[in-house]
Amino acid sequence: MSAQDQPIFFILVGICAFLFFVACLRHYSSRSFLPPESWLLLAGVVYGSVQHNYLPTLPVIELSPELVIWLLLPIIIFASARNTSILALQKDALPIFCFAGLGVILTLFLIGIPLSWIMSIPLADGLFFAAAVAATDPSAVAAIFQRFSIPERLNVLLEGESTFNDGTAIVLFSLMAALVLTDAPLSLSQALLQFVWSIAGAIPLGLALGWLAGKLVLHWGEQNRFPGLTLTLLLAYGSYLLGEGVLHVSGVITVLCASLAFIRSRQAGIQPKEGELFTSFWEYLEVLAGSVLFFSLGTAAGAHDFPINWALPGVVIVLLVSRAVVVYGGSLLLSSIRKPLPVAWQNIMMLGGLRGAVSAALVLMIPADYIYRFEMLCLVFVLCLYTLVVHPPLLRLYLQRIELGET
């Protein structure tokens, strides 16, 4: 082996070791009371601490912001929307808009304002962090839901909220990043125009690309073979690149709409058993991308002296209060317009509001020279670990004690 081939050799060895580790962890943690994401976070902390303090010869695992933005984020967003039914979303569009639209904007202030006071940082930086953790991720409790009879409408609400608040939170995160990281003056009217254009320009672009890709796959008759599956990858990355890099609209919203339109346009030509390979393919990519993000977040937190102060429990309390205001306050609003949600459903939405891959991805996207980057990494780590460790067992116990009915 030549000297110039050695770095590639060791990179491949590291990738193989990581994949083997993730496969073992997900296999042996399948019956654990904690989801695999929790163990990945903890394993990342252990690795980062050992590498930093005891074995500096171990490879440094650190994701660059560019890698997160351009490689992992399109996969996560496309995969999160692939199981969402547009017809079901239309029936519950108002509740989903309430939680995923107004709820995310409200969460921005409910978390950002107290956090800026707790950490003694500028309000803009507090709102910047709040945008990163505004998105919920129910994927970690999906295995719990599979063990119980969950009403279809409740599933739609949880999945719909998660799918659309990902897009809303990322758009807000991008706006706050432009304000905080560049020190560029940004007026309220300008920010509002950018927000509207990011979404309004991305929606028709994504819908058109997804519809065309779906019809092309149906025309080819290659839904579950290499050409069709490859086209879905091209759709995820191509729509993101076109939206974010060329037209300067939200790449995330573009990918989200492209995924929804793709699934809708191809459903009529696929028999029930034919979707299995497509589903498995994207489940694998989603799990792999999430595993990389959670482990990397853990290593980033473990590679430094973890600060122990009252901001850590404070941010958990702030998150719980903000989630309670959004869920129970939003439900009161829906009840006032005769769209009530059962109290049991509200409690499940409260416990199911986990912080996951999107929050980890957004914080890992923050440039290394940002003054509060490490503090935000630690806070996101605490929030992800708390919601992934505490809420799933509580949710399981709650589901065992109640009976859920359709409504």
Side-chain angles (χ1 to χ4, degrees):
M1 181 187 301
S2 63
Q4 63 180 5
D5 291 334
Q6 289 184 3
I8 297 177
F9 173 79
F10 288 114
I11 289 174
L12 291 176
V13 169
I15 291 174
C16 291
F18 176 75
L19 291 175
F20 179 73
F21 165 75
V22 172
C24 291
L25 185 145
R26 288 193 170 271
H27 173 75
Y28 289 108
S29 66
S30 59
R31 297 183 180 180
S32 169
F33 70 99
L34 295 180
E37 290 80 5
S38 304
W39 296 114
L40 282 165
L41 268 177
L42 294 173
V45 171
V46 172
Y47 182 90
S49 178
V50 169
Q51 188 278 329
H52 179 70
N53 297 309
Y54 304 106
L55 292 174
T57 55
L58 287 175
V60 177
I61 298 179
E62 185 175 3
L63 290 180
S64 67
E66 293 78 12
L67 189 65
V68 176
I69 294 172
W70 300 106
L71 183 63
L72 298 180
L73 201 56
I75 293 293
I76 293 171
I77 298 302
F78 190 92
S80 70
R82 75 186 189 281
N83 291 327
T84 306
S85 168
I86 293 182
L87 293 177
L89 290 176
Q90 290 173 343
K91 294 179 181 179
D92 285 298
L94 186 59
I96 290 172
F97 171 75
C98 178
F99 293 120
L102 300 178
V104 170
I105 297 174
L106 184 60
T107 300
L108 184 74
F109 295 98
L110 290 175
I111 294 179
I113 294 174
L115 189 68
S116 65
W117 177 76
I118 291 173
M119 297 182 63
S120 300
I121 61 177
L123 177 59
D125 295 273
L127 295 174
F128 182 43
F129 171 80
V133 299
T136 60
D137 181 6
S139 60
V141 296
I144 298 175
F145 289 153
Q146 292 174 0
R147 302 176 187 176
F148 298 90
S149 178
I150 303 296
E152 180 63 27
R153 186 179 173 221
L154 177 57
N155 260 327
V156 170
L157 289 175
L158 289 166
E159 292 291 343
E161 180 196 10
S162 175
T163 298
F164 287 97
N165 70 15
D166 285 354
T168 309
I170 293 171
V171 172
L172 291 173
F173 180 83
S174 301
L175 290 176
M176 294 308 305
L179 176 64
V180 171
L181 300 180
T182 64
D183 293 325
L186 189 66
S187 66
L188 181 61
S189 59
Q190 183 182 359
L192 183 60
L193 285 175
Q194 287 187 13
F195 181 78
V196 172
W197 166 243
S198 294
I199 296 178
I203 290 174
L205 175 63
L207 292 176
L209 292 174
W211 183 85
L212 289 172
K215 293 303 180 184
L216 181 57
V217 168
L218 286 178
H219 176 70
W220 285 354
E222 301 275 11
Q223 293 92 342
N224 289 286
R225 297 189 179 94
F226 180 84
L229 296 176
T230 302
L231 196 62
T232 62
L233 269 180
L234 292 176
L235 177 61
Y237 284 113
S239 58
Y240 187 85
L241 293 171
L242 184 59
E244 193 76 29
V246 178
L247 300 180
H248 303 294
V249 297
S250 171
V252 170
I253 299 294
T254 306
V255 174
L256 190 153
C257 293
S259 179
L260 292 174
F262 176 79
I263 299 300
R264 175 72 180 273
S265 65
R266 69 195 280 275
Q267 279 177 343
I270 299 178
Q271 299 301 319
K273 294 184 179 179
E274 292 180 1
E276 294 178 358
L277 184 55
F278 170 80
T279 300
S280 300
F281 176 71
W282 276 98
E283 280 181 356
Y284 176 80
L285 293 180
E286 182 181 24
V287 168
L288 181 59
S291 299
V292 171
L293 286 171
F294 282 115
F295 189 79
S296 299
L297 177 62
T299 57
H304 302 81
D305 294 328
F306 203 87
I308 304 298
N309 54 50
W310 70 302
L312 299 182
V315 75
V316 173
I317 294 173
V318 168
L319 174 69
L320 292 176
V321 171
S322 67
R323 182 63 180 169
V325 170
V326 168
V327 171
Y328 299 114
S331 299
L332 283 175
L333 179 62
L334 292 171
S335 297
S336 67
I337 56 175
R338 299 183 180 180
K339 294 284 186 179
L341 296 179
V343 175
W345 288 23
Q346 299 174 38
N347 296 334
I348 291 173
M349 293 184 70
M350 176 70 188
L351 292 174
L354 310 186
R355 267 48 185 181
V358 171
S359 296
L362 292 180
V363 174
L364 289 170
M365 285 163 52
I366 298 175
D369 58 354
Y370 176 58
I371 184 172
Y372 302 115
R373 185 178 191 268
F374 175 64
E375 287 80 0
M376 290 188 178
L377 279 172
C378 293
L379 291 178
V380 168
F381 170 82
V382 169
L383 289 181
C384 288
L385 189 61
Y386 167 79
T387 58
L388 292 171
V389 170
V390 176
H391 283 202
L394 290 178
L395 181 59
R396 184 184 291 111
L397 289 174
Y398 184 73
L399 290 172
Q400 289 172 347
R401 293 172 179 267
I402 64 168
E403 292 186 4
L404 295 174
E406 295 286 349
T407 185

